[in-house]
Amino acid sequence: MTHPNAASRPVQAVVLAGGQGSRLRPYTDDRPKPMVEIPGTGTPIIGHQLTWLAEEGVTDVVVSCGHLAEVLQKWLDSADLPVNITTVVETEPLGRGGGLKYAAAHLPHPDKPWFATNGDIWTRFSLRDMADFHTERDAVATLALARPRIPWGAVKTDGFGRVTDFIESPPTTYEINAGVYVFSAEFADLLPERGDHERTTFPHLARERRLAGFPLPQGAYWRAIDTAKDLTEAAKELAALGR
């Protein structure tokens, strides 16, 4: 039986792949951040993302390029990809919100909802479930929420100040923006021409109760690839998952 929300699930997406990746040097000296390979997989981060999007029903992806755009475009042109790709390059820095608006203008179905993801996120969870969550809450925008692990050990104490426990790399008690989104068709019109939507559009939608947060399911894999250590950790985790 078809899910009642199936018709409203996005089949198009934007991948924001213009980041400098300065904290990933030397890997990013000759390639943009999404082109950095996850060790042991032989595939760049964006390759994993496009496979995941295709598995979740996406057919068309707009890739927004910036830093070393030609390296990314060359790979996209030569790779055997499971989705149709359009690349756009900002001729001047538009900021995150402006960049998103510019990329969204190239989506094949401007009157339909769309996914978006940051180009340095490596994750696996059901985008279909997230899209249904978005529809059921009548949201204009929904962001995935992750609870990353703190890279240090934590100490528990009792009311008297005695240490009762040590916890290695606990998840934070706070949820953070996981860098994966579902947007309704009207969202693009609410984005700034330039500047950061997280300081303008998102707070505005939150005040109107039209911004939803989808907690990543228990046990879902999520990692932002920001530093060389993240690459090493991702490779270890993938080996453990048998992928």
Side-chain angles (χ1 to χ4, degrees), residues 27-202:
Y27 297 101
T28 48
D29 284 346
D30 61 353
R31 68 196 61 191
K33 200 173 178 183
M35 278 300 301
V36 173
E37 283 183 14
I38 309 271
T41 70
T43 304
I45 299 164
I46 193 167
H48 292 284
Q49 288 185 323
L50 295 173
T51 300
W52 174 53
L53 289 168
E55 285 166 0
E56 293 294 326
V58 172
T59 55
D60 293 87
V61 178
V62 176
V63 179
S64 176
C65 313
H67 174 65
L68 297 172
E70 63 287 351
V71 179
L72 179 51
Q73 286 174 313
K74 189 175 170 192
W75 182 81
L76 290 168
D77 286 344
S78 64
D80 182 17
L81 299 171
V83 288
N84 301 316
I85 298 283
T86 304
T87 56
V88 297
V89 183
E90 292 171 33
T91 46
E92 53 180 326
L94 299 172
R96 290 193 298 178
L100 201 52
K101 189 183 188 89
Y102 181 65
H106 295 80
L107 287 166
H109 313 288
D111 56 337
K112 298 274 175 62
W114 46 294
F115 293 118
T117 179
N118 296 345
D120 56 357
I121 301 296
W122 169 218
T123 187
R124 278 287 188 278
F125 64 91
S126 172
L127 282 174
R128 290 181 175 94
D129 287 353
M130 186 177 170
D132 294 345
F133 178 96
H134 171 83
T135 302
E136 284 152 15
R137 277 146 193 82
D138 193 28
V140 173
T142 298
L143 42 152
L145 303 174
R147 285 183 193 265
R149 294 198 162 272
I150 301 170
W152 310 282
V155 179
K156 262 192 174 168
T157 56
D158 63 15
F160 199 66
R162 285 179 292 238
V163 173
T164 58
D165 201 5
F166 292 93
I167 305 156
E168 197 53 51
S169 295
T172 69
T173 51
Y174 293 103
E175 292 176 313
I176 64 153
N177 177 349
V180 180
Y181 311 90
V182 184
F183 297 132
S184 295
E186 73 234 58
F187 179 75
D189 292 336
L190 304 175
L191 285 164
E193 294 292 337
R194 58 182 61 226
D196 191 348
H197 60 294
E198 295 195 9
R199 299 209 176 116
T200 52
T201 316
F202 278 177

Side-chain angles (χ1 to χ4, degrees), residues 122 124 219 221 234-243:
W122 169 218
R124 278 287 188 278
Y221 184 78
K236 265 195 264 181
E237 288 158 358
L238 290 177
L241 289 169
R243 287 197 178 136

